Amino acid sequence: MNHFSITDIEGLDKIFRLNLINSCTGYKSANLIGTKSKAGISNVAVFSSVTHFGSNPAILGFVLRPATVPRNTYANILETGYYTINHIFEDIISDAHHTSAKYSEEVSEFNQTSLIEEYKPNFKTPFVFNSPVQIGMRFLEEMPIQINGTILILGEVIDLFVREDLLQKDGFIDLTKGKTATINGLDAYAIPSTEARFDYQRPKTK
Amino acid sequence: MNHFSITDIEGLDKIFRLNLINSCTGYKSANLIGTKSKAGISNVAVFSSVTHFGSNPAILGFVLRPATVPRNTYANILETGYYTINHIFEDIISDAHHTSAKYSEEVSEFNQTSLIEEYKPNFKTPFVFNSPVQIGMRFLEEMPIQINGTILILGEVIDLFVREDLLQKDGFIDLTKGKTATINGLDAYAIPSTEARFDYQRPKTK
């Protein structure tokens, strides 16, 4: 196997290190986060760090680097207190990835791609039209990560929309039916097509 | 689409809610975290929340609920300061999922499954043999999430092992070649088989 010690990692070329460390966690969630500024400019950006933090209350987190692309996302969330999380699916992968380009805050990525804003009753922040799972989020808190200046954003699910053919009787959302994407590293997208479910596990008895 | 408001979510049957909210983030990383107690008992447990927090330094996080299964993982990390992250791959999915069973701290899951402990030079904590990506981690800090009692564990990559056929010239790890798994919800596993990589994105010019 290839071995990279911490000293090796520190000495790597920057792009090599970015690819390596971003790939080493395994597959990541692929979501578009939608926001809107107080001035009315909407924003949508790809994030691969949306993570489950709890089901009751339903809390999701994601990581952002305030000094880079998604600062519009960050500013809008702090301004309004709301954002949306939308699954990236097969048909929009290319447009979704393009939202990683560094547009200025006056530009809506909805106008630079074929992604379409969708508005729902009682929610002023845009969802991504046709996304098989759309989540309306209320901002809860930000947790600064001192060691590298990233920020963990925590929010609560307040409106969850799931396309009907994905939802199973026990609450499980079958992501293969929505052709939901998963991200490998910084720039690779896969669409898993089959999966196996397992039972609840109990210790083996002798 | 099915719509669940925050009030609907609060009123759901517990199992339905667990399945629903655990599925709504999209695909998750599938890893086994290996630890060893000071008393010498090894432990391995499945986690779907390993997330990238930074590449330089290389920082990964994961979420744990101290009141439930993975408390051995937590106690061992605090005792020794080290843990390993190992990709779950096709051949070990069933055994990996079984580590979610609630064994007591005197029992090593390595003895209850076909998973095999692997030791590397200068690292006392067990890796999972044959895993295509194995990461030796040093504990950095724990961040308590006040709202629900979960804990974000942050650590630094100090030894990264990548099977040679997965590693590309630019540092990208091709997870499809390792048959690395991804998790949907609490109990479904998929093996993505094809993926598309995209270029670095710049704003479109008129």
Side-chain angles (χ1 to χ4, degrees):
Chain A
M1 292 182 99
N2 288 288
H3 174 223
F4 301 92
S5 71
I6 184 168
T7 313
D8 296 334
I9 293 169
E10 287 165 357
L12 289 172
D13 164 72
K14 183 185 172 189
I15 301 294
F16 190 100
R17 182 174 52 231
L18 280 172
N19 281 319
L20 183 72
I21 304 302
N22 272 282
S23 309
C24 81
T25 52
Y27 288 103
K28 310 176 192 187
S29 54
N31 286 291
L32 286 166
I33 293 187
T35 57
K36 195 164 202 169
S37 69
K38 270 195 174 171
I41 299 168
S42 53
N43 182 279
V44 62
V46 57
F47 281 86
S48 62
S49 58
V50 173
T51 302
H52 177 265
F53 273 78
S55 295
N56 189 23
I59 296 173
L60 309 180
F62 72 97
V63 184
L64 51 75
R65 295 179 298 157
T68 58
V69 182
R71 69 189 312 171
N72 302 343
T73 301
Y74 179 53
N76 293 348
I77 290 173
L78 295 188
E79 271 186 19
T80 66
Y82 293 92
Y83 54 107
T84 70
I85 297 175
N86 309 266
H87 284 203
I88 296 173
F89 60 105
E90 191 167 39
D91 294 350
I92 66 167
I93 286 177
S94 176
D95 279 320
H97 188 64
H98 184 66
T99 65
S100 62
K102 297 181 186 180
Y103 285 106
S104 73
E105 63 191 27
E106 294 80 28
V107 175
S108 168
E109 292 80 3
F110 284 113
N111 295 331
Q112 300 294 325
T113 62
S114 303
L115 300 171
I116 297 168
E117 298 178 63
E118 177 182 357
Y119 289 88
K120 312 265 195 190
N122 306 316
F123 210 88
K124 293 179 180 171
T125 307
F127 293 86
V128 176
F129 180 69
N130 261 346
S131 179
V133 177
Q134 302 166 313
I135 316 174
M137 299 291 300
R138 180 164 57 205
F139 171 65
L140 287 174
E141 63 175 316
E142 54 176 322
M143 300 185 69
I145 311 293
Q146 304 294 348
I147 197 165
N148 66 357
T150 56
I151 298 170
L152 173 65
I153 301 285
L154 294 172
E156 184 168 17
V157 177
I158 59 170
D159 278 301
L160 172 58
F161 298 87
V162 181
R163 215 176 67 198
E164 288 175 15
D165 58 317
L166 277 63
L167 188 65
Q168 309 297 301
K169 283 182 183 169
D170 62 356
F172 177 75
I173 302 170
D174 186 340
L175 301 177
T176 65
K177 292 191 176 170
K179 297 190 185 300
T180 289
T182 181
I183 295 180
N184 177 180
L186 287 169
D187 52 17
Y189 293 73
I191 310 289
S193 56
T194 58
E195 63 195 356
R197 287 190 75 183
F198 290 85
D199 290 332
Y200 182 81
Q201 299 291 303
R202 293 183 171 80
K204 293 174 186 171
T205 50
K206 286 170 189 166
Chain B
M1 293 183 98
N2 289 287
H3 174 223
F4 300 92
S5 70
I6 185 169
T7 313
D8 295 335
I9 293 169
E10 286 166 357
L12 288 172
D13 164 73
K14 183 184 172 189
I15 300 295
F16 189 100
R17 182 173 52 231
L18 280 171
N19 282 320
L20 182 73
I21 303 303
N22 272 282
S23 308
C24 82
T25 53
Y27 288 102
K28 311 175 191 188
S29 54
N31 288 290
L32 286 166
I33 294 188
T35 56
K36 194 165 203 169
S37 69
K38 270 195 173 170
I41 300 169
S42 52
N43 182 278
V44 62
V46 56
F47 281 86
S48 62
S49 58
V50 173
T51 302
H52 177 265
F53 273 78
S55 294
N56 189 23
I59 296 173
L60 310 180
F62 72 96
V63 184
L64 50 74
R65 295 179 297 157
T68 58
V69 182
R71 68 191 311 171
N72 302 343
T73 301
Y74 179 54
N76 293 348
I77 290 173
L78 294 188
E79 270 186 20
T80 67
Y82 293 92
Y83 54 106
T84 70
I85 297 175
N86 308 268
H87 284 203
I88 296 172
F89 60 105
E90 190 167 37
D91 294 351
I92 65 167
I93 287 178
S94 175
D95 279 319
H97 188 64
H98 184 66
T99 65
S100 62
K102 297 181 186 182
Y103 286 105
S104 72
E105 64 191 25
E106 294 81 27
V107 175
S108 168
E109 292 80 4
F110 284 112
N111 295 331
Q112 300 294 325
T113 62
S114 303
L115 300 171
I116 297 168
E117 297 178 66
E118 177 182 357
Y119 289 89
K120 311 265 195 191
N122 305 317
F123 210 89
K124 293 180 180 171
T125 308
F127 293 87
V128 175
F129 180 69
N130 261 344
S131 179
V133 177
Q134 302 166 314
I135 316 174
M137 299 291 300
R138 180 164 58 207
F139 171 66
L140 288 173
E141 62 174 316
E142 55 176 321
M143 301 185 68
I145 311 293
Q146 304 294 350
I147 197 165
N148 65 359
T150 56
I151 298 169
L152 172 66
I153 301 286
L154 293 171
E156 185 168 16
V157 177
I158 59 171
D159 277 301
L160 172 59
F161 299 87
V162 181
R163 216 176 66 197
E164 287 174 16
D165 58 318
L166 276 63
L167 188 65
Q168 309 298 300
K169 283 181 182 168
D170 62 355
F172 177 76
I173 303 170
D174 187 339
L175 301 178
T176 65
K177 293 190 177 172
K179 297 190 185 298
T180 289
T182 181
I183 294 180
N184 177 180
L186 288 169
D187 52 17
Y189 293 73
I191 310 290
S193 56
T194 59
E195 64 195 356
R197 287 190 75 183
F198 290 85
D199 290 333
Y200 182 81
Q201 299 291 304
R202 293 183 171 80
K204 294 173 186 171
T205 50
K206 286 171 189 166

